[in-house]
Amino acid sequence: MTLVIVFYDLKIVNCELNIKTNNNMSDLEKFLEKIEENIKIEPKDWMPDDYRKHLQRQMSQHAHSEVIGMQPEGNWVLRAPSLRAKVILLAKIQDEAGHGQYLYSAAETLGKSRSTYINELQTRKAKYSSIFNYPTLTWADMGAVGWLVDGAAIVNQVSLQKTSYGPYSRAMVKICKEESFHQRQGYEIISNMAKGTPEQKQMAQDALDRFWWPSIMMFGPHDADSSRSENAMKWKIKNETNDQLRQKFIDKTIQQAEIIGLTIPDKDLRWNDETNHYDFGEIDWDEFWNVVKGNGPCNDDRIEHHIKAHEDGAWVREAAIAYAEKNG
Amino acid sequence: MDNQGDIWEVFIQSKPGLAHKHVGSVHGMGKEMALQNARDMYTRRQEGTCIWVVKHADIIASVPEEDGSFFDPSNDKIYREATYYTMPEGAKNI
């Protein structure tokens, strides 16, 4: 009699387990079906943990890049060569702050607070785009940053407008609308310098020489060496690979350099009639990984400055909270 | 961890006559700051004529897992659609 009862109980337990597993399966199936049919995933929808984690990492990294990206440009606000150049630069930097905010807002819908994301940046658990660890040494660098760095970012972000996570996709649509002015103002700066005095032209060429390779590194490692690409493509977080996006950027940028009389610093660069793309030289991946790991020229400065600005603003946040509590 | 203020959802009317549409969220300490932050963040290029901000915590939303049963009452009433009805042949302007 006792034995029978035990079996009976086990059976119930098994039965419940089965139901549970089936439910999980159907959640995953429903999720994959939406991905397959290009239906966006929204914050309250069920999603696999790895999908959520991948997005938290990628979106916060993207947000941190916008925010840290204000520093190399902020370096030139007080030294802009004209009032026109200064108001434009300020407007661009304000946009970058806005883009960071859109992305943090979208990333927060994944159930992680803004304070946590900021803390991960400041304790170097989270990364940002390596390009911002290079210094901006001359005014021509403001041209190179807008033309090349924003140009590369646009190629990446246009592709991300189709990403499978709804809030990320909507943030990208908004950012892309605003970003094209950034690239055009940079190209205007560098093209004006390229047609100026020989010294000015030399400054423009020097800026291109220093920013070209770090810009094409912005797309990340080759597909074969990119451990996270597979999931990102499977879940349609990304719809084009690092190498595809890099090629797109190179193909469209070369003509822009030629027309203003500057030379891309790559002796292996040539048009390939068979592939209908430009062939280009090997990227220095040791340099890339070295900067990613924190050893670039400005990694420490960027984080220290962020922490200082954050701490200096603490009393403002406290006062604002006290005011809000008093006045509702 | 420091206090970053409440999350406020932002709704913008892009021109008179249109409905307010959700555009995203901002952080703000109090409603005034939330409104000003929303202006700086979402209307740098004349995107709006009016902004609403609503505390995120005050929004009640339906649950996606229950979508099927929640929206069920509207599933089987096709007579609510104009195309359900048969009009006499030749009738105009209807």
Side-chain angles (χ1 to χ4, degrees), chain B residues 31-88:
Chain B
K31 55 193 176 190
E32 266 174 76
M33 188 190 275
L35 198 58
Q36 286 166 357
N37 287 352
R39 175 201 59 197
D40 293 345
M41 203 165 134
Y42 291 103
T43 60
R44 287 194 300 285
R45 289 172 176 78
Q46 296 151 353
E47 287 95 338
T49 46
C50 182
I51 302 177
W52 293 347
V53 289
V54 184
K55 251 191 206 170
H56 176 81
D58 290 340
I59 291 183
I60 315 299
S62 62
V63 186
E65 291 90 67
E66 293 166 12
D67 273 359
S69 56
F70 188 75
F71 293 108
D72 190 44
S74 67
N75 274 349
D76 57 353
K77 296 178 181 62
I78 47 169
Y79 46 82
R80 282 176 173 155
E81 307 294 334
T83 48
Y84 175 75
Y85 298 91
T86 314
M87 294 295 104

Side-chain angles (χ1 to χ4, degrees), chain A residues 57-103:
Chain A
R57 189 191 50 76
Q58 179 174 333
M59 289 167 72
S60 67
Q61 187 171 319
H62 201 156
H64 299 327
S65 302
E66 299 281 356
V67 169
I68 295 293
M70 291 192 283
Q71 290 187 36
E73 297 189 310
N75 186 30
W76 282 92
V77 171
L78 296 179
R79 292 178 287 168
S82 68
L83 185 58
R84 177 182 183 268
K86 189 170 181 165
V87 292
I88 290 170
L89 188 57
L90 276 170
K92 178 177 189 299
I93 294 170
Q94 194 191 14
D95 270 355
E96 308 298 3
H99 297 174
Q101 305 295 321
Y102 301 153
L103 284 158

Side-chain angles (χ1 to χ4, degrees), chain A residues 273-307:
Chain A
D273 265 333
E274 277 171 32
T275 59
N276 265 327
H277 293 293
Y278 280 94
D279 292 334
F280 54 96
E282 192 45 48
I283 294 167
D284 182 354
W285 293 111
D286 290 341
E287 175 182 333
F288 174 77
W289 288 115
N290 194 39
V291 179
V292 168
K293 283 176 185 141
N295 306 316
C298 302
N299 296 58
D300 292 342
D301 286 353
R302 300 298 185 228
I303 294 299
E304 278 162 23
H305 185 82
H306 191 278
I307 293 173

Side-chain angles (χ1 to χ4, degrees), chain A residues 72 128-135 149 211 213-216 218 291 302:
Chain A
Y128 54 87
S129 181
S130 275
I131 191 81
F132 302 119
N133 291 317
Y134 292 87
V149 177
F211 276 93
W213 289 101
S215 297
I216 65 172
M218 282 174 70
V291 179
R302 300 298 185 228

